[in-house]
Amino acid sequence: MHALQRCIAPLCLATFDVSEVLTSCPDCGSLLDIDYEWDQLKVPKSLREFEARWTNRRNPLDFSGVWRFRDLLPFARDEDIVTIGEGQTILQQNTAVGNFVGMKPGSLFLQYEGLNPSGSFKDNGMTAASTHARMVGAKMAACASTGNTSASLAIYASTTQVFKVVVFVGSGKIAFGKLSQALDYDAKTLQVLGDFDDALDRVREVAGERGIYLCNSVNPFRLEGQKTIMYRVLEGLNWQVPDWIVVPGGNLGNSSAFGKAFAELKTLGLIDRIPRLAVINAAGANTLYQLYEEKGVRWDGGMSEDGTIDAFFADMDAANRKASTLASAIEINRPVNLKKCLRALDICDGVVRQVTDQEILDAKAQVGAGGFGCEPASAASVAGAKLLRAEGVIAPSDRVVCILTGHQLKDPDATVAYHSGDAALFESKLGSRGVQRATYANEPVVVENNLQRIIAALEKS
Ligand SMILES: *Cc1c(COP(=O)(O)O)cnc(C)c1O
Ligand SMILES: [Zn+2]
């Protein structure tokens, strides 16, 4: 196996075998990467070679939108791979949403990861983490989650029966669509009386204490799977590199994986340039935005100003500042992949923006009207693209890909409260959280149970 785990800190760079179960460097505490001895491996000379696998879709590894690209994440033997057909997702050019963002027709694309088996992009990573869990013989796996990670881990465990699962969720905040999945897939579910950041701290302790395999995005194998979202974007664009990738930022695993994917493709000579990356925070959970755009923190070859970062979190704790946004999947104030994301922003000449819940919900309604249902966090990408277009950072004719990270049915409450026209419902779900209006509401029409009245109502619209 020509794969190893490597510490990302340039002054350490310690390496570990892939058979070890680690979520941080035992020497210095930094995050770990999976690294490959590419010169010892057979890598396709052109990305087009991956298309040959479309003809072999009865092989589950070639069917998977993740493992079709297994030469670019070669840490497992084929027989160890755990797949449930993830990654059958689509890149769609969308003129209606492009108009909303302010793009020229034909330049805005949506990468819809809601089509994954559990309804979010998390399956791209969970298939890779599950594969590693099988490689090391894990009996039990765990994660903390704002919802989608637990839904994903639960579906992998129940479909494959390779290991048992316990999921930790913060109390109160989790969207019901997501909670229902963990319960339905029969995962042991612990509702920790705290928020996501608390749940993650506890699950890390428990995993360490009990030798349970941890599947949060501190797991470097998970991010290997998430690289393939970018391979599929390139595939959808006939292997042309777009100008921009726009992605919501929560724990920053996705943005980190995207940066690594492009750096590797460039090193391997499979692409000739790297797109720019825009990571979009919710204004109520904007740690990355504050550090990167306001305090000027940079990767700096791995030597980033830890003093500034530490002081930022110390202030946050002193003020007891908690993340707060309706976009529950990105309601995270302590992004675990912060350093890796800074590296990705460096690789991709990136920018970070924040958008309000109002902007997120309005963008979500436009995405829906344009044909793709997404959950609130996903729409942050479209709201962020609109903001960057308004600022002139994105040009009208740039090719822009917004990642829609999760399916609309994950969080129907937010959608119904926005559209229903029920003032009390709006107030309790959205108004109380600072949303002023439902700009693009599509209100249901109440009509008497009577043919004439129904026809009259139809004629009115
Ligand atoms: C997990 C998640 C995110 C955040 O992704 P990170 O990799 O944690 O930054 C965004 N949207 C949805 C739907 C998610 O499930
Ligand atoms: Zn280290």
Side-chain angles (χ1 to χ4, degrees):
M1 199 63 37
H2 298 289
L4 45 91
Q5 308 190 64
R6 189 194 303 279
C7 174
I8 69 164
L11 296 181
C12 177
L13 298 178
T15 60
F16 308 92
D17 198 83
V18 287
S19 63
E20 290 193 57
V21 179
L22 300 166
T23 50
S24 61
C25 173
D27 295 354
C28 77
S30 298
L31 293 165
L32 296 168
D33 258 343
I34 309 305
D35 207 356
Y36 305 98
E37 296 166 338
W38 293 113
D39 52 353
Q40 307 289 315
L41 289 156
K42 206 176 132 297
V43 180
K45 294 209 167 39
S46 152
L47 286 168
R48 271 184 205 288
E49 288 181 31
F50 290 105
E51 292 177 15
R53 294 197 173 136
W54 294 348
T55 60
N56 194 26
R57 289 168 68 85
R58 244 178 256 120
N59 173 351
L61 301 192
D62 287 345
F63 177 73
S64 165
V66 171
W67 300 105
R68 183 160 83 241
F69 299 100
R70 55 194 177 279
D71 316 66
L72 297 173
L73 51 151
F75 68 82
R77 298 173 308 165
D78 284 4
E79 53 273 32
D80 284 327
I81 291 175
V82 177
T83 175
I84 58 170
E86 57 288 322
Q88 306 305 315
T89 63
I90 180 174
L91 181 83
Q92 186 203 60
Q93 190 252 305
N94 195 308
T95 304
V97 176
N99 283 340
F100 170 70
V101 170
M103 305 297 300
K104 281 212 176 115
S107 22
L108 186 100
F109 297 81
L110 300 174
Q111 172 70 18
Y112 188 43
E113 291 297 314
L115 289 173
N116 274 294
S118 81
S120 86
F121 79 81
K122 297 294 198 299
D123 296 347
N124 292 282
M126 213 50 82
T127 181
S130 301
T131 295
H132 186 243
R134 171 189 273 179
M135 282 166 63
V136 300
K139 297 280 181 294
M140 180 164 242
C143 68
S145 179
T146 63
N148 283 335
T149 304
S150 56
S152 183
L153 181 57
I155 201 175
Y156 275 90
S158 58
T159 316
T160 62
Q161 304 277 321
V162 170
F163 44 73
K164 296 211 174 315
V165 158
V166 53
V167 305
F168 287 55
V169 298
S171 53
K173 296 278 186 67
I174 186 170
F176 261 30
K178 306 176 186 183
L179 181 59
S180 73
Q181 288 180 289
L183 300 175
D184 203 29
Y185 299 136
D186 202 27
K188 186 168 196 69
T189 303
L190 301 183
Q191 285 187 298
V192 178
L193 299 176
D195 64 8
F196 169 79
D197 295 313
D198 298 325
L200 181 58
D201 286 347
R202 295 297 84 72
V203 77
R204 289 182 84 156
E205 289 167 7
V206 173
E209 193 91 351
R210 304 296 298 268
I212 298 171
Y213 188 89
L214 187 64
C215 289
N216 279 96
S217 56
V218 286
N219 179 321
F221 293 93
R222 230 185 84 180
L223 300 199
E224 288 305 289
Q226 289 171 214
K227 295 191 302 191
T228 65
I229 301 169
M230 290 301 102
Y231 307 153
R232 297 197 299 274
V233 164
L234 293 176
E235 190 173 52
L237 292 171
N238 199 16
W239 309 110
Q240 304 289 303
V241 178
D243 297 302
W244 287 93
I245 301 291
V246 190
V247 62
N251 250 331
L252 307 177
N254 239 1
S255 44
S256 300
F258 296 175
K260 185 171 189 281
F262 288 119
E264 288 173 348
L265 291 181
K266 186 89 193 309
T267 305
L268 292 169
L270 291 168
I271 53 173
D272 52 12
R273 68 183 183 91
I274 289 177
R276 296 190 69 186
L277 179 68
V279 183
I280 313 300
N281 272 166
N286 64 355
T287 294
L288 181 69
Y289 175 76
Q290 290 204 39
L291 289 174
Y292 189 79
E293 296 290 345
E294 292 184 347
K295 301 192 186 296
V297 173
R298 291 293 180 274
W299 168 244
D300 255 346
M303 310 299 285
S304 53
E305 263 297 331
D306 284 356
T308 310
I309 298 172
D310 294 346
F312 177 85
F313 287 122
D315 279 356
M316 179 187 280
D317 288 343
N320 197 23
R321 214 161 55 236
K322 298 288 181 193
S324 174
T325 168
L326 285 159
S328 57
I330 53 174
E331 190 175 39
I332 294 169
N333 257 352
R334 286 183 179 275
V336 296
N337 288 297
L338 176 63
K339 287 285 178 68
K340 282 188 178 176
C341 180
L342 291 173
R343 184 178 63 177
L345 289 163
D346 184 65
I347 292 165
C348 301
D349 187 17
V351 300
V352 181
R353 290 294 181 271
Q354 58 174 349
V355 291
T356 63
D357 283 2
Q358 177 76 55
E359 291 166 322
I360 287 173
L361 290 184
D362 286 343
K364 180 177 127 45
Q366 290 286 297
V367 169
F372 275 151
C374 70
E375 65 170 282
S378 309
S381 62
V382 171
K386 184 176 168 63
L387 176 63
L388 288 162
R389 179 69 272 290
E391 290 175 0
V393 176
I394 290 180
S397 58
D398 283 351
R399 283 182 125 194
V400 176
V401 178
C402 293
I403 312 300
L404 297 181
T405 46
H407 200 280
Q408 190 245 61
L409 296 176
K410 291 284 192 174
D411 189 2
D413 276 16
T415 311
V416 174
Y418 184 91
H419 286 293
S420 71
D422 177 333
L425 185 64
F426 183 92
E427 184 45 37
S428 74
K429 297 275 182 204
L430 309 180
S432 61
R433 314 277 309 259
V435 178
Q436 310 267 319
R437 64 198 160 271
T439 317
Y440 304 106
N442 173 29
E443 282 183 33
V445 179
V446 178
V447 62
E448 274 173 49
N449 185 12
N450 169 299
L451 180 61
Q452 297 313 319
R453 294 293 171 87
I454 290 173
I455 289 172
L458 287 178
E459 281 169 355
K460 233 194 253 168
S461 60

